[in-house]
């Protein structure tokens, strides 16, 4: 198995319990995994490895784990974005615009588009990405959306319950009939391609009872639950996620004390998506409050054509520091180990022996530059499964 | 003279008075300049040019004109940034930290560092950059800072009046003696390397009388004036700039109605630097108010190691739309033609026949994506003076 010594690392973020960060560090990759990390002076000799890479005083961090994205769609909504910035408020109903474009696209078009976005993410340091369906909203289109997503990641999520689609006459759809469809034939068709099931539990989308029904149906098909909740206003979603012991609940913008306590007690990861608040001019979630209460926080992009079309985890991390009271180290943890926790993974999001050799070389001496240098593309090299990509 | 036809342009931003934006467009470069722009169907035939480049449905915009940066320095202030994000307020005195590092660096180190930052800017679409001195604050160090900057741009600015440096004993320097130095031997040494002279007119730096004295001295050496003003609080700087008929006054965060009226009347460009407010958690300037009053607005990076270490004009543009009430088109104008106006240039910042062939190809169908896709590196190709860089 080929081994590579990466040395000359000014700062290596490992998230190892004992040594979460090592200065003047080195790392050995064997095959697809990390075999050794430590101080450069203690590193295996260059004769003992097959190759040596010198990163010349740069920082190395774990590859980003983006646990929330909606990449399977067609069309864009730049005009809606422009109107929103001039004062039109964001509403969940805009999703239907993308549904029409997605249904009209061929499998090949959808695959090519997802491929472009996954590559764009990878160039920016994302090495693990979760991808949701949710712009098909028919049996055929949800199933093929997930089949497309599955070509790029194992972390696929069935989000048939994104919004109730328009009825055949173009008017408001019937929510009860749609929940029956989602939990019946659509779930049957989607489940073979998905690991997770998700519900947009929000006023204008699905209520707590509907969410409970949909997650229970998913569980019967072996899908694990997650929720979009408390994004646009207070609601029952976060407490439902905690009650059900879900791995993660996403958005968490409008929380009361009971919500925060419930998350702290359940261990459910709160996934914050500050790109959404940036792109919708909503208030940011209060990460500091969650961290201080002992809640695990993840950061993800929510990359989607409506509320947030960024694919950049470094941008989200800079927002987390500027807007949500996180330190640069907390934000980096949230976008790596935190994202992994939100997917119930321990093999990614850290650089400890045995973990995947998914890593990012920054054109900077330490991780703080990701927030200190907002907008600057600092990712100079990305390794995934032990190889440069 | 070699000619190139660039075609397949989904949207071409020209800032021509008659046709500021052309869809399904083409452009002809001859030598270093733009020779023709128009609809692709009206373009010169491929046989009439030396080369053809097809950009496959992407948008083309003028290269960004970054009219305010402080690239000549050594060291970084990531630790100060981190402390500030945890609650320590920004103060102008932090400049002295960088002065010590800059004085200790060799010319070669400074040149290499500026070169790296200029390249980083260029990769992000900046084709014209203004560079200030201001971290030398001695006769020798201001002059060599400008000589270094002059290797990269003609738009060099003498900013000896950045802050009063510490005295020989390490305590507070003597402002009167320092203004004498700036307007005397330092100006003599700096002027051959500079086009502009600038003063940080702010509480804690220099007052209006000192600014007036310094600008007048600069004018006697042929240097045109500009000011940093009204960044950290209300002050006399903006009105002074208008009274003196300066080309531009930069920051403009704290303005009263008389300041806005003075700018509208004088035609002085208000250069806004939203990366600073992002990185110092200060309130953003109100671009909408300025635009509605008829003031010309430019956007620039202010790239510097203390208050704002971004080099990304696309990031500033996204902030301008999110935080300052600009439309995507207004923000793009401000970062191109507006930046040019702030440097009293008409040969850059637009893509009209006769202008420099400085252009950016975006991995997007239109300019709105620069704000719609914040943080995403959308710049796929940059041409400067008629050639890809």
């Amino acid at each position: 198995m080929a081994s590579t010594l990466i040395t000359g690392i000014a700062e290596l973020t490992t998230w190892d319990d004992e040594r979460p960060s090592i200065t003047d560090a080195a790392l050995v990759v064997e095959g697809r995994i990390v075999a050794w990390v430590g101080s450069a002076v203690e590193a295996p000799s260059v004769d003992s490895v097959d190759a040596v890479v010198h990163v010349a005083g740069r920082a190395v961090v774990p590859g980003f784990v983006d646990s929330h994205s909606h990449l399977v769609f067609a069309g864009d909504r730049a005009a809606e974005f422009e109107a929103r910035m001039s004062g039109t408020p964001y509403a969940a109903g805009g999703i239907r615009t993308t549904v029409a474009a997605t249904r009209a696209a061929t499998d090949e078009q959808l695959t090519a588009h997802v491929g472009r976005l996954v590559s764009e993410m990878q160039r920016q340091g994302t090495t693990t990405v979760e991808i949701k369906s949710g712009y098909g909203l028919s049996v055929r289109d949800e199933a093929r959306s997930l089949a497309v997503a599955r070509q790029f990641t194992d972390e696929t999520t069935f989000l048939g319950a994104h919004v109730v689609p328009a009825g055949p006459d173009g008017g408001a759809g019937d929510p009860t009939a749609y929940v029956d469809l989602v939990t019946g034939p659509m779930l049957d068709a989607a489940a073979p391609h998905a690991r997770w099931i998700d519900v947009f539990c929000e006023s204008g989308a699905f209520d707590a009872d509907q969410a409970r029904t949909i997650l229970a149906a998913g569980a019967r098909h072996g899908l694990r639950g997650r929720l979009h909740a408390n994004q646009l206003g207070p609601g029952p979603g976060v407490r439902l996620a905690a009650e059900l012991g879900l791995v993660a609940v996403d958005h968490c913008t409008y929380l009361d004390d009971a919500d925060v306590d419930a998350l702290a007690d359940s261990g459910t990861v709160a996934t914050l998506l500050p790109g959404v608040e940036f792109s919708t001019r909503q208030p940011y979630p209060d990460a500091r409050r969650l961290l201080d209460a002992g809640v695990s926080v993840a950061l993800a992009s929510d990359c989607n054509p409506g509320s947030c079309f960024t694919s950049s985890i470094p941008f989200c991390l800079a927002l987390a520091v500027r807007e949500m009271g996180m330190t640069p180290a907390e934000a980096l943890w949230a976008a790596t180990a935190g994202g992994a926790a939100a997917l119930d993974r321990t093999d990614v999001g850290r650089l400890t022996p045995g973990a995947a050799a998914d890593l990012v070389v920054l054109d900077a001496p330490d991780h703080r530059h990701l927030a200190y240098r907002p907008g600057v593309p600092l990712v100079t090299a990305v390794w995934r499964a032990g190889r440069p990509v």
Side-chain angles (χ1 to χ4, degrees), chain A residues 19 29 31 35 92 173 202 222 237 298 357 383:
Chain A
R19 253 179 130 179
V29 175
E202 195 81 32
W383 291 50

Side-chain angles (χ1 to χ4, degrees), chain A residues 78-373:
Chain A
E80 177 187 321
F81 168 80
E82 189 178 34
R84 185 165 69 238
M85 289 297 108
S86 298
T88 310
Y90 176 71
I95 291 168
R96 295 191 185 98
T97 310
T98 298
V99 170
T102 304
R103 288 177 177 174
T106 65
D107 289 4
E108 291 68 28
Q109 288 169 330
L110 291 177
T111 302
H113 192 241
V114 175
R116 277 196 296 276
L117 289 170
V118 168
S119 295
E120 183 183 278
M121 287 179 157
Q122 201 164 261
R123 286 195 298 275
Q124 296 173 86
T126 297
T127 49
T128 301
V129 60
E130 180 263 18
I131 304 177
K132 300 177 198 299
S133 67
Y135 294 117
L137 308 189
S138 69
V139 174
R140 166 184 174 269
D141 291 297
E142 284 296 300
R144 74 189 185 109
S145 292
L146 287 163
V148 165
R150 219 21 168 330
Q151 297 175 52
F152 298 94
T153 184
D154 293 333
E155 303 292 350
T156 51
T157 300
F158 170 44
L159 180 60
H162 200 184
V163 71
V164 177
D169 59 353
D174 172 356
T176 305
Y178 187 65
V179 171
D180 288 346
L181 181 71
V182 168
T183 56
M186 195 186 284
L187 179 57
D188 291 338
H193 310 292
R195 182 174 183 221
W196 304 92
I197 184 166
D198 194 349
V199 179
F200 190 12
C201 183
E202 195 81 32
S203 180
F206 298 90
D207 67 22
D209 287 342
Q210 292 168 324
R212 194 184 288 272
T213 299
I214 293 162
L215 294 180
R220 287 192 295 273
H221 283 69
L223 303 188
R224 303 184 66 185
R226 36 204 318 119
L227 283 177
H228 285 63
N230 300 57
Q231 173 188 355
L232 303 175
V238 164
R239 257 163 303 171
L240 177 62
E243 178 204 319
L244 296 175
L246 301 187
V247 171
V249 59
D250 298 14
H251 284 293
C252 302
T253 307
Y254 291 91
L255 301 184
D256 62 24
D257 289 346
D259 294 324
V260 175
D261 291 346
L263 290 172
D265 291 344
S266 68
T268 298
V269 175
T271 303
L272 308 185
L273 308 160
V276 175
E277 283 76 28
F278 186 88
S279 293
T280 59
R281 250 189 230 135
Q282 298 279 323
Y284 290 90
D286 187 347
R288 188 76 261 146
R289 177 188 184 197
L290 289 165
L291 290 166
D292 290 346
V295 176
S296 289
V297 170
L299 282 171
S301 71
D302 200 7
C303 185
N304 78 78
S307 60
C308 177
F309 200 8
T310 191
S311 57
S312 172
I313 291 293
F315 174 68
C316 296
L317 199 149
L319 287 180
V321 172
R322 172 25 154 113
E323 304 289 1
M324 312 201 303
M326 299 179 87
T327 67
E330 287 168 340
L332 179 59
W333 189 92
T336 52
L343 295 172
D344 201 20
R345 300 270 296 268
T346 54
D347 60 323
V348 295
R350 66 198 64 214
L351 292 171
T352 50
D358 294 354
L359 59 88
V360 173
V361 183
L362 299 177
D363 192 11
D366 68 60
H367 72 280
R368 295 176 300 193
H369 283 238
L370 287 165
Y372 176 43
R373 308 211 61 206

Side-chain angles (χ1 to χ4, degrees), chain A residues 26-60:
Chain A
L27 175 150
V28 177
V29 175
E30 272 185 21
R32 301 166 65 89
I33 67 162
V34 176
W36 182 91
V37 295
S39 297
V41 293
E42 301 160 1
S45 78
V46 298
D47 300 328
S48 68
V49 294
D50 298 310
V52 178
V53 173
H54 201 284
V55 298
R58 295 189 169 88
V60 170

